[in-house]
Amino acid sequence: MKDILFKTYQISGRKAPNRFAAQPMETNCAGPGGAAGDMAVNRYNALAEGNWGIVFLEATSVTESHVARSNGLVLSRKNLDGFKKLVDSFKSIDEKALLIVQLTHSGRLSGPPLTKVKAYEDEESDVPVLTEKELQEVLNRHLEAAGLAHEAGFDGVDVKTCHGYLGTELLRPLNQRKDTFGGPVENRARLISSVINAAVRNFPGFIVGTRMSVYEGMRGGCGTSGPGEILENLEDVKRIAGIFVEAGAHFLNISGGVPTHNARLLRPAKNEDFCRLSQFRYARQFKEWFPDTTIIGSTYTTGDGSSLDYARENISKGYTDFAGFGRQSLADTRFPGKIKDEREPIQWCTLCGRCSRLLAKDVNVYCESYHADNPYA
Ligand SMILES: Cc1cc2nc3c(=O)[nH]c(=O)nc-3n(C[C@H](O)[C@H](O)[C@H](O)COP(=O)(O)O)c2cc1C
């Protein structure tokens, strides 16, 4: 019987060759001004050799002014040629895998302190709150970047609403701004749903969706019922996801946690299966609520073959459509191809946490368990 992991999947009129998704993984690999240079091309060429179903291009900023890392990618008109080259190079190696770029604005997680901005007033008093006009400008930047992504030849965009960046902040019950971007769910969802809707309408066949932190584990965060609540209650975030689906989103990439409050939920370490199982439960819940929307599940990196057992079980039971691998895609870029051919040994992620530490140090990220030096430099 055919392995369910290698069953094709239709999304927005396109076909993914299998159910392996390489999740967006920031590698801090850009050239000056956020350009997609040789290091970025080399990294995604390596993934193109891996037989993935979907490859997400790491968090890529819609503006040069608010980037999380010194060498974070920026999708701007000025950088377009580099992104075109990256896509062409990827597609010349693997024309079947779907290549989707994750668009982001880093908000209060932006790099040098002076570039930090936030969506709502709170105790971080040295960080300015974006005005309504500035948020409209952020919306415009996302629209422009979605257009550039289409022009560059990407198969789609992921409008990021996870892990504490600006898109996430806007969705939180904590966002009680008094203008059109805060308060009721429709307002909190407005910026992202407008981008999704415009991208779906303007570019038929383009794949559009969002990666959400559906429960952040912080007071007033996504997945709670109000600004003063910390316990999980997914009703609010379900309504927001419903607005995205209504706007035309083809996929929801379900994640959880936020590095500042709940990093373990976001990237479970060894023996933290409860976090991983919670993530699987979230994906199952959203699949149940939105059966016609493609669901991508997170945290499939377990460090061994149990990741494949989980993936097969969750996909065959209809709990998710794709199994998303983050750290495993860094440890072994050719992971799905190796599973298919059963010839070469797999480089299992050791869950050592060194990739996260490299990111925190703001240097190039790669898998130190298998490479003495950055293989993409
Ligand atoms: C070094 C590093 C970089 C990451 N970069 C991104 C990113 O750009 N966008 C994103 O949505 N998630 C990012 N994540 C989160 C991963 O995509 C993934 O959700 C997380 O590692 C858990 O999945 P896993 O258990 O399969 O690794 C990153 C995680 C790590 C460790």
Side-chain angles (χ1 to χ4, degrees):
M1 211 172 66
K2 192 171 167 143
D3 186 344
I4 194 150
L5 294 176
F6 290 97
K7 228 175 135 189
T8 60
Y9 185 93
Q10 292 283 344
I11 175 169
S12 185
R14 304 195 184 205
K15 188 160 82 179
N18 61 54
R19 308 305 185 90
F20 289 86
Q23 292 283 28
M25 293 290 286
E26 268 183 279
T27 54
N28 208 9
C29 62
D38 288 346
M39 210 189 297
V41 171
N42 294 342
R43 159 149 168 75
Y44 288 94
N45 279 351
L47 283 165
E49 281 162 12
N51 284 285
W52 294 87
I54 300 178
V55 171
F56 283 97
L57 197 94
E58 66 202 79
T60 298
S61 184
V62 300
T63 162
E64 211 177 312
S65 334
H66 304 283
V67 188
R69 324 283 163 205
S70 312
N71 298 309
L73 290 165
V74 179
L75 185 46
S76 57
R77 171 73 50 199
K78 148 170 105 69
N79 289 342
L80 185 61
D81 283 349
F83 282 95
K84 273 188 180 157
K85 197 173 152 206
L86 183 151
V87 175
D88 288 348
S89 188
F90 183 97
K91 297 275 176 190
S92 71
I93 300 168
D94 184 356
E95 55 176 14
K96 289 192 180 149
L98 301 174
L99 184 60
I100 299 179
V101 54
Q102 183 177 67
L103 302 180
T104 190
H105 181 299
S106 293
R108 75 174 75 208
L109 301 181
S110 301
L114 287 176
T115 63
K116 291 184 192 301
V117 287
K118 60 187 183 184
Y120 52 81
E121 202 52 76
D122 63 4
E123 70 285 355
E124 262 190 86
S125 54
D126 51 338
V127 178
V129 179
L130 288 159
T131 63
E132 189 173 18
K133 196 161 158 242
E134 285 167 334
L135 278 177
Q136 185 59 49
E137 190 49 34
V138 171
L139 197 166
N140 293 341
R141 290 280 75 76
H142 275 83
L143 293 178
E144 189 189 13
L148 292 170
H150 185 257
E151 208 177 321
F154 285 101
D155 296 297
V157 285
D158 160 11
V159 190
K160 186 173 188 173
T161 57
C162 60
H163 311 158
Y165 297 90
L166 188 67
T168 334
E169 262 195 41
L170 284 164
L171 306 187
R172 289 177 183 153
L174 273 174
N175 170 14
Q176 290 300 318
R177 300 172 65 97
K178 298 291 175 233
D179 57 23
T180 52
F181 292 109
V185 279
E186 294 73 20
N187 284 357
R188 285 186 267 136
R190 184 179 308 280
L191 192 150
I192 304 296
S193 61
S194 305
V195 178
I196 290 173
N197 193 248
V200 170
R201 274 188 293 111
N202 293 344
F203 311 117
F206 202 44
I207 302 167
V208 182
T210 177
R211 187 167 201 211
M212 309 177 71
S213 281
V214 297
Y215 177 59
E216 296 184 278
M218 59 175 276
R219 195 168 298 283
C222 295
T224 66
S225 60
E229 298 293 332
I230 190 163
L231 295 186
E232 184 182 316
N233 178 334
L234 301 180
E235 284 305 314
D236 182 88
V237 78
K238 173 193 177 187
R239 290 178 63 202
I240 289 177
I243 294 172
F244 295 157
V245 169
E246 193 71 18
H250 303 110
F251 73 84
L252 299 173
N253 188 343
I254 302 297
S255 185
V258 52
T260 44
H261 290 71
N262 212 326
R264 303 269 54 101
L265 175 59
L266 164 57
R267 352 168 248 266
K270 262 204 163 36
N271 306 320
E272 289 182 340
D273 236 24
F274 184 73
C275 298
R276 184 171 293 110
L277 296 176
S278 299
Q279 295 259 11
F280 296 164
R281 178 165 50 82
Y282 297 142
R284 180 184 67 175
Q285 181 62 82
F286 278 75
K287 189 68 208 174
E288 210 175 294
W289 282 333
F290 303 103
D292 300 329
T293 304
T294 301
I295 298 293
I296 295 152
S298 294
T299 63
Y300 279 83
T301 302
T302 63
D304 57 32
S306 64
S307 55
L308 297 169
D309 298 337
Y310 280 134
R312 289 190 180 105
E313 177 173 351
N314 291 344
I315 294 169
S316 62
K317 287 182 172 167
Y319 297 166
T320 187
D321 298 306
F322 286 86
F325 293 88
R327 292 162 291 180
Q328 182 57 42
S329 72
L330 269 190
D332 196 338
T333 47
R334 294 195 295 122
F335 176 56
K338 287 184 178 179
I339 307 286
K340 197 171 174 190
D341 294 345
E342 292 178 349
R343 261 180 289 193
E344 280 177 82
I346 291 158
Q347 294 173 187
W348 291 108
C349 169
T350 60
L351 298 172
C352 66
R354 281 187 280 178
C355 55
S356 301
R357 289 199 283 280
L358 289 175
L359 193 61
K361 276 201 254 167
D362 197 17
V363 295
N364 296 152
V365 176
Y366 57 95
C367 179
E368 287 189 317
S369 290
Y370 293 102
H371 300 280
D373 296 306
N374 183 358
Y376 312 117

